[in-house]
C-alpha cells in the first residue's frame, strides 16, 4: 500500500482479523506492512518490512466463507521501530499457543514523511517526464484503468502524484517496497523513471510480438476464409468436380503405378489428407504426388518397324553418315523381330557442324519416337542429374526425370548434348551421376533424389554427343557405344549445300527454288575461300548471307530480275574478301619444311613444320606455342637425327657449331601431341642435308629414339584434311593400317596411303633425291594472312 491510495483488501488470517476487529472498535487506524516472504503463514518480526502505511478503515464486510473484506484509505507512511507479539516457547501450554496465534500484532511506529523540503525545479521537470512515461505505460498495460491517468494529471501535490504512480505499477513486491521506502521526492522520482523505462521496453516488445502473432493468425484465417469462399463460388458455378483428393487418387490409380510406387503414393496421399492446406508440408507432398501422377510409367509410343521407311527418313534428312544410319537400322531390324530390346547408348563424336544433334532428331523421326534434348554444357551440379532432396525449398527432380515428364512416354529418344563439356566443383560431379543413367545394367532402377522411388529408363534410347572423347571420364566412356563422325569432304559439302542448305535458306527468305541458280563451281569457291571447317555450319551462314543479298537485290529491282544466276565473280561483292587463301598450304618442294597432320576440335588440318639451321652452339629452339608433349617429341626427333648424322653425310660437329630453330605456324595457335614426331624429324633431316621435302606429302606418327614410328589417333580426321588440301601421298604408322578402312571412300581413293614402321621408310617416301634438292633460300610467293585464328591443334 502507498499513502493517499484507497484499496479493498481480503483478510483471512486470525491475527489479521484480530487487528481489524481491534481497529474497528477503537480509532479505526490499521498498520499495513508487507511480508518479506509472502508464503509464510505465521510471520514474525524478522520477516516483516520496517516501512509501512497507516490506513483508516472505511468499511468492513463479513463474507460467508469466514473471510472479511475491508476498504482502507492509506493516510501516511511510517517507520516501524519494533513489533510486540506474544512469545511462544517449547514449554508453553497449548491453550496459550492458540491464544497467541489469534492475537493481533502491535507495533511502535514513528512518522516517515516524504522529504519535500527545497524541491528543485529540475525535480519537478523530471516528475512531469515521469508522468508522461506513466501515460504511455497505462496505454500499454491492460491492468491499469484508463481513468487513472486523468485523475493523476489533475493532482497538484507532488507527493500524492508520485505515490499514485507507484501504486498503479504492475511490478514485483520487492520493487514496490523499494519505492515505498524512498526517503525523498527526488530519489523516488528517479527510481520511478528507471522502473517505467524498463517496463515500457518490455511492454513494447510484448506488443510487437503480439501484433506479429495476431497478424500471422489473421493472414492464415483470411486465406482459409478466401479458399472456402472460392470453393463455394466454384460449386455455385458448377465448376466443382468433386474432392481434389479423390481426383488425385483416381489419377494415380489410372497411371498403373508399379507396386512399390503405388504403396508409397497411397501413404503420401493419406498423409496429405491429414495436413492443413496452408501447411508447407502439404505443398511439398502435393507437388511430389503431382510429379508421380505426371510421369509416364507404362505409356509407349508405337515404334516404326518398317526398315525401308526408316532408311528413307534418314537419307532424306542427312547426307552420308553411313555408320550411324547402319547402327540405327540394325536396331530397328532387331526390334521388329523380338518386339522389345534394350536401347543402345550411342555417343556421336565429331567436330562441330557435322550434324550430330540434327541426326539424333532424325533418328527419333525414323523410329517414330518422341524426341527430347538435354544440354549438358556447363552443368556442374550433380543435382541437375539426380534432382534435389525434398527437404530443400523449391526442390525439383533432375533433368532426366523432367525430360521423361515432357516426353510422356517411357521409350523416347533422349539426347544428352555436349557430354564432353560437363564440369565439376564442390557441388558434385555430374559425370559420376551419369554413370547410373547410362549403364544398361543399372538404369532400369534409376533413383532420383526427389522422387525417392525407382524409375525404369531401360526403354529409353540414349544418344550422347561430344566434340572430343578427352573430356569424358574413362568409366563413363566405357558405357558408351562410340560412333565417330568425320569431317565432310568437299564433294559431300557441295551435295549437302545443294540438297539441304540452299533450299532451306531460300524458303526462309521468301524465295522459290528456281529464283536463284548457283553453279557448282560457286559452291566450291565458297568452300575453299570463305570456310575452313569440318562441318557445314559456317557454310550455311555464308549461304544465308548470300541469299540475303539476293533478296535485297530482288526487292530493289523487282521480280523482273528473277531468276538470278550467281557466279564466282559475285562472291567478293556479296560476301566480302575471302578470309582464306585457296592455296593456304603449299604443295611445292621445299628444304626444311614438312607437312604434318593435326587433329583439332573442328576436325583435321594440315600444318607446316619449319626447321632452319643457323650459326650457334648446338641448341634447339622451339617456337609456335608448342605444348610439353610436342616439345618432348621434337627433342626425341633431334636425338635420333644426331645418332644418324654419319648415314646422312653430315659432319658430326655441325650441330656443335649451329642451332636448330623449329617453328610450327601459326604462332598464336596452341599445339600439342606426339604425332608430329616424324614430320619434325623429316624437316630436321631436310634442313641438315639440303634435300627437299616433297610438297604433296603429308605425314603423321610418333617417333622414338631408335627411329621407330608408333601409331597415333585421329586418323580419319587427318585423312579427310589431307584429301581436302589435295595431298597426293600420306604417310601413316603401320599400327594405323587398320584405321584406313574407316576413311570415306573418296578420301581413300584420292590419296596414296603408305604405312611405315621406321624413319628410314619415311625419309625414302618424303625426301627428294639429293641431286634434285631445291634451295631453301629460293624466294617463296607471299601469302595473305588469315582473318581469324585457328582452333587449338593436337598434332
Amino acid at each position: 500500500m502507498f499513502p493517499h491510495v484507497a484499496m479493498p483488501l481480503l483478510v483471512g488470517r486470525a491475527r489479521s482479523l484480530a487487528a481489524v476487529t481491534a481497529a474497528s472498535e477503537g480509532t479505526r487506524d490499521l498498520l499495513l506492512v508487507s511480508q518479506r516472504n509472502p508464503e509464510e503463514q505465521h510471520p514474525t518480526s524478522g520477516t516483516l518490512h520496517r516501512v509501512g502505511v497507516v490506513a483508516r478503515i472505511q468499511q468492513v464486510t463479513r463474507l460467508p466463507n469466514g473471510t472479511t473484506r475491508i476498504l482502507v484509505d492509506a493516510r501516511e507512511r511510517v517507520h516501524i521501530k519494533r513489533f510486540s507479539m506474544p512469545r511462544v516457547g517449547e514449554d508453553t501450554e497449548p491453550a496459550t499457543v492458540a491464544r497467541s496465534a489469534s492475537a493481533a500484532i502491535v507495533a511502535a511506529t514513528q512518522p516517515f514523511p516524504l522529504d519535500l523540503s527545497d524541491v528543485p525545479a529540475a525535480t519537478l521537470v523530471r516528475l512531469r517526464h515521469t508522468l508522461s512515461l506513466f501515460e504511455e505505460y497505462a496505454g500499454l498495460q491492460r491492468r491499469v484503468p484508463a481513468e487513472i491517468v486523468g485523475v493523476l494529471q489533475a493532482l497538484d501535490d507532488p507527493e500524492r502524484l508520485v505515490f499514485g504512480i507507484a501504486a498503479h505499477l504492475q511490478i514485483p513486491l520487492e520493487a514496490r517496497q523499494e519505492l515505498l521506502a524512498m526517503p525523498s521526492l527526488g530519489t523516488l522520482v528517479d527510481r520511478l523513471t528507471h522502473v517505467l523505462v524498463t517496463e515500457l521496453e518490455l511492454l513494447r516488445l510484448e506488443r510487437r510480438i503480439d501484433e506479429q502473432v495476431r497478424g500471422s493468425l489473421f493472414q492464415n484465417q483470411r486465406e482459409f476464409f478466401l479458399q472456402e469462399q472460392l470453393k463455394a463460388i466454384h460449386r455455385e458455378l458448377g465448376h466443382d468436380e468433386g474432392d481434389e483428393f479423390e481426383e488425385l487418387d483416381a489419377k494415380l490409380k489410372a497411371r498403373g503405378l508399379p507396386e512399390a510406387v503405388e504403396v508409397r503414393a497411397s501413404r503420401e496421399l493419406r498423409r496429405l489428407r491429414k495436413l492443413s492446406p496452408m501447411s508447407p508440408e502439404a505443398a511439398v507432398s502435393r507437388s511430389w504426388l503431382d510429379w508421380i501422377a505426371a510421369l509416364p510409367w507404362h505409356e509407349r509410343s508405337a515404334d516404326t518397324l518398317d526398315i525401308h521407311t526408316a532408311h528413307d527418313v534418314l537419307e532424306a534428312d542427312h547426307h552420308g553418315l553411313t555408320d550411324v544410319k547402319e547402327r540405327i537400322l540394325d536396331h530397328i531390324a532387331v526390334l521388329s523381330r523380338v518386339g522389345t530390346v534394350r536401347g543402345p547408348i550411342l555417343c556421336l563424336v565429331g567436330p562441330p557442324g557435322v550434324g550430330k544433334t540434327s541426326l539424333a532428331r532424325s533418328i527419333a523421326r525414323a523410329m517414330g519416337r518422341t524426341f527430347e534434348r538435354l544440354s549438358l554444357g556447363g552443368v556442374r551440379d550433380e543435382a541437375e542429374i539426380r534432382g534435389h532432396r525434398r527437404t530443400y525449398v523449391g526442390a525439383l527432380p533432375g533433368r532426366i526425370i523432367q525430360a521423361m515428364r515432357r516426353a510422356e512416354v517411357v521409350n523416347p529418344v533422349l539426347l544428352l548434348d555436349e557430354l564432353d563439356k560437363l564440369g565439376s566443383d564442390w557441388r558434385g560431379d555430374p559425370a559420376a551421376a551419369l554413370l547410373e543413367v547410362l549403364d544398361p545394367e543399372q538404369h532400369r532402377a534409376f533413383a532420383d533424389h526427389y522422387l525417392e522411388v525407382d524409375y525404369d529408363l531401360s526403354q529409353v534410347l540414349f544418344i550422347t554427343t561430344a566434340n572430343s572423347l578427352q573430356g569424358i571420364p574413362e568409366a563413363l566412356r566405357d558405357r558408351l557405344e562410340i560412333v565417330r563422325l568425320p569431317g565432310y569432304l568437299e564433294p559431300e559439302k557441295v551435295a549437302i549445300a545443294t540438297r539441304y542448305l540452299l533450299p532451306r535458306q531460300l524458303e526462309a527468305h521468301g524465295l522459290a527454288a528456281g529464283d536463284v541458280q548457283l553453279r557448282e563451281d560457286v559452291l566450291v569457291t565458297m568452300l575453299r575461300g570463305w570456310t575452313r571447317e569440318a562441318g557445314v555450319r559456317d557454310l550455311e551462314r555464308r549461304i544465308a548471307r548470300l541469299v540475303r543479298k539476293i533478296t535485297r537485290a530482288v526487292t530493289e529491282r523487282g521480280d523482273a530480275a528473277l531468276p538470278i544466276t550467281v557466279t564466282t565473280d559475285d562472291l567478293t561483292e556479296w560476301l566480302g574478301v575471302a578470309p582464306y587463301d585457296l592455296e593456304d598450304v603449299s604443295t611445292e618442294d621445299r628444304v626444311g619444311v614438312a607437312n604434318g597432320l593435326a587433329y583439332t576440335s573442328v576436325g583435321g588440318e594440315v600444318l607446316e613444320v619449319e626447321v632452319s639451321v643457323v650459326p650457334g652452339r648446338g641448341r634447339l629452339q622451339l617456337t609456335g606455342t608448342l605444348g610439353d608433349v610436342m616439345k618432348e617429341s621434337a627433342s626425341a626427333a633431334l636425338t635420333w637425327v644426331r645418332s644418324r648424322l654419319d648415314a646422312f653425310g653430315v659432319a658430326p660437329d655441325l650441330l656443335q657449331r649451329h642451332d636448330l630453330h623449329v617453328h610450327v605456324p601459326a604462332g598464336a595457335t596452341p599445339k600439342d601431341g606426339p604425332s608430329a614426331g616424324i614430320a619434325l624429324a623429316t624437316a630436321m633431316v631436310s634442313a641438315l642435308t639440303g634435300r627437299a621435302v616433297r610438297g604433296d606429302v603429308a605425314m603423321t606418327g610418333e617417333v622414338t629414339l631408335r627411329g621407330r614410328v608408333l601409331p597415333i589417333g585421329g586418323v580419319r580426321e587427318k585423312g579427310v584434311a589431307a584429301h581436302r588440301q589435295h595431298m597426293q601421298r600420306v604417310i601413316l604408322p603401320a599400327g594405323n593400317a587398320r584405321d584406313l578402312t574407316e576413311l570415306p571412300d573418296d578420301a581413300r581413293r584420292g590419296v596414296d596411303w603408305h604405312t611405315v614402321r621406321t624413319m628410314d621408310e619415311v625419309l625414302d617416301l618424303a625426301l627428294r633425291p639429293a641431286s634434285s634438292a631445291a634451295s631453301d633460300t629460293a624466294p617463296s610467293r607471299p601469302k595473305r594472312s588469315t582473318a581469324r585464328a585457328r582452333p587449338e591443334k593436337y598434332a
Side-chain angles (χ1 to χ4, degrees):
M1 285 286 291
F2 288 90
H4 315 296
V5 174
M7 182 181 294
L9 298 175
L10 288 177
V11 183
R13 287 188 294 194
R15 283 184 173 179
S16 300
L17 289 173
V20 170
T21 302
S24 299
E25 295 174 353
T27 62
R28 304 184 70 83
D29 288 336
L30 193 65
L31 175 62
L32 302 178
V33 61
S34 299
Q35 297 177 204
R36 296 184 187 276
N37 182 11
E39 303 299 329
E40 188 175 355
Q41 294 299 320
H42 303 287
T44 62
S45 60
T47 61
L48 296 174
H49 287 287
R50 293 292 174 168
V51 177
V53 293
V54 174
R56 176 65 58 86
I57 298 177
Q58 301 292 345
Q59 182 180 358
V60 178
T61 304
R62 307 291 180 178
L63 299 179
N65 59 0
T67 59
T68 299
R69 182 178 182 276
I70 62 174
L71 178 63
V72 295
D73 183 10
R75 299 296 182 86
E76 61 178 349
R77 186 174 63 166
V78 296
H79 185 274
I80 302 169
K81 295 189 291 184
R82 65 179 180 277
F83 290 98
S84 297
M85 57 183 63
R87 295 183 177 179
V88 179
E90 295 180 358
D91 54 350
T92 306
E93 296 180 359
T96 304
V97 173
R99 285 196 302 272
S100 63
S102 59
I105 301 175
V106 180
T109 64
Q110 64 180 14
F112 185 35
L114 193 64
D115 186 6
L116 299 175
S117 60
D118 298 329
V119 177
T123 301
L124 297 178
V125 172
R126 294 200 304 274
L127 179 58
R128 286 199 296 270
H129 176 62
T130 303
L131 180 59
S132 64
L133 292 176
F134 180 76
E135 293 175 6
E136 184 179 358
Y137 174 82
L140 296 175
Q141 179 57 262
R142 300 184 183 90
R143 299 181 182 179
V144 178
E147 60 273 10
I148 292 299
V149 176
V151 173
L152 294 177
Q153 289 175 341
L155 296 176
D156 296 331
D157 186 0
E159 180 180 0
R160 288 178 174 270
L161 180 57
V162 292
F163 282 138
I165 293 174
H168 292 90
L169 293 179
Q170 304 298 319
I171 56 178
L173 178 61
E174 291 298 327
R176 294 174 65 87
Q177 183 64 35
E178 184 182 358
L179 292 175
L180 180 62
M182 286 294 169
S184 64
L185 178 64
T187 56
L188 180 55
V189 170
D190 292 340
R191 187 59 187 168
L192 279 175
T193 302
H194 176 74
V195 171
L196 283 169
V197 169
T198 303
E199 291 296 314
L200 282 173
E201 290 181 358
L202 294 175
L203 288 173
R204 292 190 192 106
L205 180 60
E206 290 178 359
R207 174 65 64 88
R208 188 159 56 249
I209 294 175
D210 183 64
E211 289 176 352
Q212 292 175 355
V213 173
R214 288 176 179 271
S216 177
L217 291 175
F218 174 75
Q219 181 66 21
N220 291 340
Q221 293 172 354
R222 178 175 176 273
E223 291 179 359
F224 177 77
F225 179 71
L226 292 176
Q227 289 288 347
E228 293 300 320
Q229 279 189 327
L230 187 61
K231 291 179 182 179
I233 293 173
H234 282 310
R235 283 194 298 269
E236 291 296 328
L237 293 176
H239 296 166
D240 187 21
E241 299 178 358
D243 187 5
E244 59 178 346
F245 295 121
E246 297 299 332
E247 296 177 6
L248 186 57
D249 188 20
K251 187 184 298 185
L252 291 172
K253 291 179 179 178
R255 277 296 184 184
L257 303 177
E259 183 178 356
V261 181
E262 185 176 4
V263 171
R264 178 68 184 277
S266 300
R267 185 168 66 247
E268 196 72 21
L269 183 58
R270 289 195 300 270
R271 179 171 174 267
L272 178 60
R273 292 177 186 270
K274 299 175 183 178
L275 292 174
S276 170
M278 291 166 288
S279 170
E281 294 184 9
V284 173
S285 295
R286 179 57 190 263
S287 178
W288 184 85
L289 289 170
D290 287 340
W291 273 98
I292 294 295
L295 284 173
W297 297 93
H298 301 287
E299 295 81 3
R300 290 176 50 88
S301 58
D303 291 326
T304 299
L305 302 180
D306 187 350
I307 193 170
H308 301 291
T309 302
H311 178 270
D312 294 340
V313 171
L314 293 175
E315 289 296 329
D317 289 346
H318 288 83
H319 179 80
L321 307 178
T322 307
D323 292 346
V324 189
K325 294 177 181 178
E326 290 294 328
R327 181 64 183 87
I328 297 303
L329 294 177
D330 293 345
H331 177 73
I332 295 176
V334 174
L335 193 63
S336 64
R337 301 285 294 179
V338 300
T340 59
V341 63
R342 188 168 57 189
I345 301 175
L346 303 179
C347 181
L348 309 181
V349 181
V354 297
K356 299 183 296 296
T357 303
S358 60
L359 178 60
R361 196 181 303 273
S362 295
I363 291 173
R365 196 163 73 89
M367 298 182 66
R369 293 191 178 187
T370 305
F371 176 79
E372 289 294 332
R373 173 180 173 270
L374 277 73
S375 178
L376 300 180
V379 173
R380 293 179 173 272
D381 191 356
E382 180 219 357
E384 294 281 347
I385 306 299
R386 288 186 176 275
H388 298 83
R389 299 193 183 276
R390 287 192 288 163
T391 52
Y392 296 103
V393 177
L396 284 174
R399 294 194 180 190
I400 302 295
I401 296 298
Q402 293 182 33
M404 296 302 296
R405 179 177 181 173
R406 293 194 301 269
E408 299 181 348
V409 290
V410 296
N411 62 335
V413 173
L414 202 56
L415 173 65
L416 306 181
D417 212 1
E418 307 293 350
L419 185 63
D420 57 332
K421 307 300 190 303
L422 282 172
S424 62
D425 57 14
W426 56 271
R427 291 170 291 186
D429 186 0
L434 282 174
L435 293 177
E436 180 184 3
V437 177
L438 299 180
D439 191 341
E441 301 299 328
Q442 299 182 43
H443 64 198
R444 64 175 57 254
F446 173 64
D448 186 272
H449 289 164
Y450 181 85
L451 296 183
E452 296 178 340
V453 294
D454 292 341
Y455 190 81
D456 187 6
L457 297 175
S458 61
Q459 301 183 60
V460 178
L461 174 58
F462 286 101
I463 300 178
T464 65
T465 67
N467 296 129
S468 172
L469 293 177
Q470 294 181 357
I472 305 176
E474 185 65 31
L476 184 57
R477 194 185 313 170
D478 182 62
R479 289 162 166 79
L480 306 175
E481 183 177 340
I482 307 298
V483 180
R484 295 184 179 274
L485 304 183
Y488 293 114
L489 300 177
E490 189 174 278
E492 292 176 326
K493 291 185 178 181
V494 172
I496 292 172
T498 304
R499 292 174 54 185
Y500 303 102
L501 305 184
L502 182 59
R504 184 162 60 199
Q505 292 300 326
L506 290 175
E507 181 182 357
H509 291 81
L511 296 176
D515 292 344
V516 179
Q517 298 178 0
L518 245 66
R519 290 167 38 186
E520 185 172 335
D521 60 335
V522 174
L523 291 174
V524 172
T525 304
M526 188 185 303
L527 284 171
R528 296 176 180 177
W530 278 268
T531 65
R532 185 63 56 86
E533 59 176 346
V536 292
R537 189 169 291 160
D538 194 23
L539 175 61
E540 184 172 13
R541 282 194 289 265
R542 300 291 180 180
I543 293 176
R545 181 177 180 181
L546 181 65
V547 174
R548 285 197 300 271
K549 296 293 185 181
I550 295 174
T551 304
R552 178 180 173 183
V554 171
T555 304
E556 292 174 349
R557 303 173 192 172
D559 292 341
L562 296 175
I564 293 181
T565 302
V566 181
T567 64
T568 55
D569 298 333
D570 300 326
L571 293 181
T572 303
E573 177 186 354
W574 284 342
L575 298 182
V577 178
Y580 305 108
D581 270 336
L582 299 182
E583 298 179 2
D584 197 12
V585 177
S586 175
T587 57
E588 298 178 357
D589 299 347
R590 289 173 291 176
V591 174
V593 181
N595 293 325
L597 293 174
Y599 172 71
T600 72
S601 60
V602 297
E605 192 165 338
V606 178
L607 58 86
E608 295 179 345
V609 177
E610 301 175 346
V611 177
S612 293
V613 182
V614 295
R617 292 178 291 181
R619 294 179 302 176
L620 175 64
Q621 183 178 1
L622 303 172
T623 57
T625 319
L626 307 184
D628 293 337
V629 177
M630 197 166 184
K631 291 179 181 178
E632 294 175 358
S633 183
S635 299
L638 178 59
T639 300
W640 177 80
V641 171
R642 285 178 182 272
S643 68
R644 300 293 303 277
L645 289 179
D646 290 341
F648 299 145
V650 178
D653 61 345
L654 178 65
L655 290 180
Q656 298 177 3
R657 294 178 285 105
H658 292 79
D659 293 343
L660 284 184
H661 186 170
V662 178
H663 180 68
V664 184
T669 304
K671 312 164 194 72
D672 203 0
S675 63
I678 65 173
L680 289 166
T682 302
M684 290 178 184
V685 173
S686 173
L688 291 171
T689 62
R691 296 174 59 185
V693 182
R694 293 182 52 149
D696 59 352
V697 173
M699 62 194 75
T700 180
E702 181 180 355
V703 66
T704 69
L705 297 178
R706 299 293 183 269
R708 291 190 302 122
V709 180
L710 303 183
I712 42 77
V715 173
R716 176 183 288 189
E717 289 79 5
K718 294 175 181 179
V720 171
H723 181 271
R724 186 172 61 240
Q725 293 296 336
H726 307 290
M727 295 290 132
Q728 299 297 319
R729 183 180 296 181
V730 175
I731 301 174
L732 289 175
N736 292 113
R738 57 184 176 273
D739 297 326
L740 293 177
T741 58
E742 299 180 3
L743 287 170
D745 292 338
D746 292 342
R748 195 164 56 246
R749 289 193 300 264
V751 178
D752 293 333
W753 300 90
H754 298 272
T755 57
V756 297
R757 297 184 182 276
T758 65
M759 274 301 304
D760 292 331
E761 299 177 60
V762 175
L763 298 180
D764 291 341
L765 293 169
L767 296 181
R768 294 289 186 183
S771 60
S772 60
S775 173
D776 61 343
T777 61
S780 59
R781 179 174 57 84
K783 297 185 298 181
R784 182 166 56 248
S785 61
T786 60
R788 65 182 70 179
R790 297 183 184 176
E792 182 176 355
K793 299 175 181 176
Y794 298 91

